[in-house]
Amino acid sequence: MAAIPYFEFRDFPEGSMAAVEEALLQAVRSNRYILSEKVTAFETSFAAMLGAAHAIGVGNGYDALVLALKAIGTGPGDEIIVPANTFIASANAVVQAGGVPVLVEPDRNTYNLTAAVAERAITARTKAIMPVHLYGQACEMGTLVKLATQHKLHLIEDFAQAHGATYAGKAVGTFGTVNATSFYPTKNLGALGDAGAVVTNDASIAAFVHSYHNYGETEKYHNKLIGVNSRLDVLQAAMLQVKLASLQKTNAERQRQAQLYLQKLEGVGDVVLPITAPDCSHVYHVFNIRSSRRDALKAYLQEQGIQTAIHYPVPVHLQPAYRYLGYKSCDLPIAEELAADSLSLPLFPGLREEEQLAVVKAVKEFFG
Ligand SMILES: *Cc1c(COP(=O)(O)O)cnc(C)c1O
């Protein structure tokens, strides 16, 4: 069998690539390349899909996080509670907004931030809690919302990996004061380049982000704020609109593939399979397994032509860039264990069953 990629763009559902190309061609021919009605149309559709009042397209997921943090007034000394096992953007955005990331442990089973852990990290300087719906699984938002309300804190969801995931039937990205997502190409809803969005139900926050992301304009050449330029590109908006229509299908396909792995890899070697918490849905942006022999397993699969990935090899609190915060190794043992034993298997819309079965076979062979 040919090599099996960790991720590849394939025509799933069939015809979607042609539809994307057609949308791009139309956008090119529209002669309008900045904040045209294509951007507004996608913002409206994305907000409607989530059941949120407002979505504002921005340049990328990192900017979406920074703008969300600015929108709640994050400034010098403000502490934001962030899980240590996330993509670096979540923490970098806090620093960019002038705040201090307070890095904490994930839950041992779901790998997500929980209210119990967040509560222990609350101080007089805490401004917000940032749950990250890691790998595509919704965080347990019920208790997080309750905690934030009790302590009068903001919640900012980072739902870059979880478009379409739900907690108790409600879409992630709609629980926090203001929330952020990315449409990086490999995300469940991915653009053909950089793109992101800020989502909120609060009209005044939406107005702030809407102005701030376009230089702080209220009307053309009239500025109340010193804003930035982080606009969703028209071509990206046009193709995202097309891909949004099949998000349910592609998420269902990811879930179907995950079920196959879950069935076939049960009890193999010392493999730990992902666990989904009650009321939480999982859209499997990443299919993460764990093994004490992770590095050898990864090398073995590579020899068989099977690509895998590691999310993430170094937790945020041990990154050299974050040395100034003063964390040491062993401070966050669950996050550190995850970094040492996690392996992400190929899973993406269009991955074929025989390819998945070849992955399963190779994993089984490795453990003999
Ligand atoms: C992808 C991602 C981001 C950032 O997205 P960009 O669009 O690449 O800036 C932020 N947080 C998480 C958890 C991500 O996975």
Side-chain angles (χ1 to χ4, degrees):
M1 166 155 346
I4 299 171
Y6 171 70
F7 178 90
E8 191 170 79
F9 294 102
R10 290 189 182 164
D11 193 27
F12 184 98
E14 212 181 308
S16 57
M17 278 190 168
V20 161
E21 286 172 9
E22 176 57 33
L24 283 171
L25 191 61
Q26 260 189 39
V28 169
R29 289 176 177 165
S30 74
N31 261 321
R32 296 201 51 206
Y33 303 121
I34 296 289
L35 294 183
S36 75
E37 69 290 341
K38 293 198 188 300
V39 172
T40 322
F42 171 69
E43 290 171 334
T44 305
S45 307
F46 188 60
M49 182 281 286
L50 296 172
H54 311 274
I56 302 103
V58 297
N60 55 65
Y62 166 80
D63 282 355
L65 286 163
V66 174
L67 267 59
L69 286 154
K70 294 251 185 203
I72 62 157
T74 305
D78 286 340
E79 295 179 356
I80 312 291
I81 299 170
V82 179
N85 60 322
T86 180
F87 179 56
I88 202 75
S90 319
N92 283 16
V94 172
V95 176
Q96 178 64 39
V100 181
V102 174
L103 300 165
V104 298
E105 286 276 61
D107 178 75
R108 186 174 286 288
N109 296 312
T110 63
Y111 317 141
N112 272 336
L113 176 65
T114 61
V117 171
E119 184 163 27
R120 291 198 287 278
I122 294 174
T123 72
R125 317 204 67 166
T126 306
K127 177 96 179 167
I129 304 170
M130 184 187 287
V132 179
H133 306 286
L134 196 74
Y135 303 152
Q137 177 171 191
C139 294
E140 293 164 272
M141 294 310 298
T143 42
L144 280 163
V145 168
K146 210 163 125 194
L147 179 70
T149 310
Q150 262 170 15
H151 292 264
K152 297 193 167 54
L153 299 173
H154 293 288
L155 277 179
I156 296 181
E157 294 170 75
D158 177 341
F159 70 112
Q161 302 190 358
H163 312 120
T166 58
Y167 172 79
K170 187 170 139 144
V172 303
T174 64
F175 291 90
T177 309
V178 52
N179 310 302
T181 197
S182 161
F183 305 117
Y184 184 86
T186 58
K187 300 279 155 86
N188 287 33
L189 178 58
L192 291 170
D194 280 308
V198 177
V199 173
T200 183
N201 286 322
D202 183 315
S204 63
I205 284 189
F208 169 87
V209 175
H210 204 263
S211 167
Y212 192 87
H213 93 305
N214 190 23
Y215 289 116
E217 281 186 4
T218 38
E219 53 187 301
K220 194 135 185 96
Y221 305 133
H222 292 267
N223 306 72
K224 281 199 184 143
L225 300 165
I226 302 175
V228 296
N229 174 359
S230 184
R231 298 181 290 236
L232 175 60
D233 183 75
V234 167
L235 269 62
Q236 302 303 342
M239 61 80 56
L240 282 167
Q241 179 80 285
V242 168
K243 280 184 88 176
L244 180 61
S246 47
L247 178 65
Q248 264 199 334
K249 262 193 196 136
T250 52
N251 276 348
E253 173 60 10
R254 286 174 181 275
Q255 288 168 334
R256 191 191 67 75
Q257 291 176 17
Q259 288 313 314
L260 190 141
Y261 278 144
L262 286 169
Q263 277 166 23
K264 305 264 179 198
L265 293 174
E266 171 84 57
V268 173
D270 71 346
V271 168
V272 177
L273 294 168
I275 293 171
T276 307
D279 288 333
C280 299
S281 83
H282 199 323
V283 292
Y284 295 98
H285 172 60
V286 164
F287 190 88
N288 168 82
I289 66 168
R290 302 174 61 188
S291 166
S292 62
R293 298 170 65 197
R294 190 267 312 272
D295 292 338
L297 172 60
K298 183 172 187 11
Y300 180 79
L301 294 175
Q302 188 65 49
E303 279 165 31
Q304 313 305 309
I306 297 166
Q307 265 183 28
T308 55
I310 296 175
H311 297 97
Y312 296 93
V314 182
V316 177
H317 70 291
L318 298 182
Q319 292 284 359
Y322 282 96
R323 200 166 287 148
Y324 77 99
L325 290 176
Y327 295 93
K328 299 178 304 299
S329 119
C330 300
D331 278 352
L332 301 174
I334 301 174
E336 290 166 36
E337 207 179 302
L338 277 167
D341 69 9
S342 287
L343 186 69
S344 310
L345 298 182
L347 188 153
F348 55 88
L351 178 66
R352 290 185 293 275
E353 181 138 328
E354 71 261 27
E355 292 174 309
Q356 252 201 304
L357 292 174
V359 174
V360 168
K361 182 162 167 275
V363 172
K364 284 184 168 166
E365 273 165 13
F366 172 79
F367 286 103

